Amino acid sequence: MSQKHPLRAVPDPSLELTRRDDGFVVTARWYSDTGSDEINGPDEVVIRISDEAGPEVRRHGITSAVLHRMGRQVDDMVAEFHDMPSVGAYQVMVGRYIEGRLAELAQARGATADGFEADLLAVYDDLAGRRHADPLGALATATGRTRAALSRLLDVARQHNDQEGPSRERHA
């Protein structure tokens, strides 16, 4: 006696979003409406190498760095799916700003381990000065650290500043 296996319905095209990013394609699919006002993520995410990808992309394939980058794309698609494109785009923009600013500060100090806490504090103060609603949360998301861990690092930077006086960057 054979059992019938229900076939998964072809997703409604309006419930599928796709983004392209540096040789990769990420597609998020929602198969059902939860009927809730809560934000829900997709039921399925597919990441593939695009047909136009260069040899370098093909040689390395889908790495953890690619997954991290695609995660940002999925966040943006979730926001779009829930009719909040400005919120999603803003979060992506803030995350990219934080990553870029931390890289600039690290390069300026010679990328040594000493000073990372001060870099975090400089970015935190910048976000707070721009009246970001949750600078600690934005830093946590961009750096992959918990709020508690970031609070400790920011406290270390503040203590260091209190001992040595204001940094040169604040006077610039």
Side-chain angles (χ1 to χ4, degrees):
M1 184 170 166
S2 68
Q3 289 184 325
K4 291 185 179 180
H5 296 283
L7 297 174
R8 175 167 256 165
V10 176
D12 179 341
S14 65
L15 299 178
E16 179 177 296
L17 296 170
T18 299
R19 298 280 187 282
R20 295 180 172 280
D21 185 338
D22 289 338
F24 297 94
V25 178
V26 60
T27 301
R29 294 184 182 108
W30 286 260
Y31 292 111
S32 59
D33 182 7
T34 63
S36 168
D37 289 339
E38 292 182 24
I39 296 173
N40 66 313
D43 295 305
E44 178 179 75
V45 174
V46 176
I47 300 170
R48 66 176 181 81
I49 297 173
S50 72
D51 295 336
E52 301 82 29
E56 184 78 11
V57 168
R58 293 183 184 287
R59 182 172 48 251
H60 293 290
I62 299 171
T63 64
S64 61
V66 170
L67 290 173
H68 179 73
R69 204 170 68 234
M70 293 304 115
R72 286 187 241 141
Q73 296 287 355
V74 172
D75 287 344
D76 195 30
M77 288 186 278
V78 168
E80 182 178 336
F81 178 79
H82 290 284
D83 297 320
M84 304 181 322
S86 62
V87 173
Y90 178 72
Q91 290 170 338
V92 169
M93 180 188 70
V94 169
R96 288 180 181 161
Y97 166 76
I98 291 170
E99 291 169 355
R101 186 69 179 125
L102 286 173
E104 288 171 12
L105 290 168
Q107 186 175 18
R109 68 177 158 75
T112 62
D114 294 338
F116 179 67
E117 296 89 353
D119 294 351
L120 286 173
L121 183 58
V123 173
Y124 175 87
D125 287 345
D126 185 33
L127 291 172
R130 294 171 189 251
R131 299 182 191 264
H132 187 282
D134 184 14
L136 187 62
L139 267 177
T141 299
T143 63
R145 288 176 168 75
T146 65
R147 288 174 176 269
L150 280 171
S151 289
R152 287 190 296 274
L153 290 169
L154 293 172
D155 287 343
V156 167
R158 288 182 187 107
Q159 290 170 358
H160 186 71
N161 282 352
D162 289 345
Q163 292 171 357
E164 294 194 8
S167 70
R168 289 181 294 158
E169 183 165 322
R170 289 186 181 171
H171 292 300

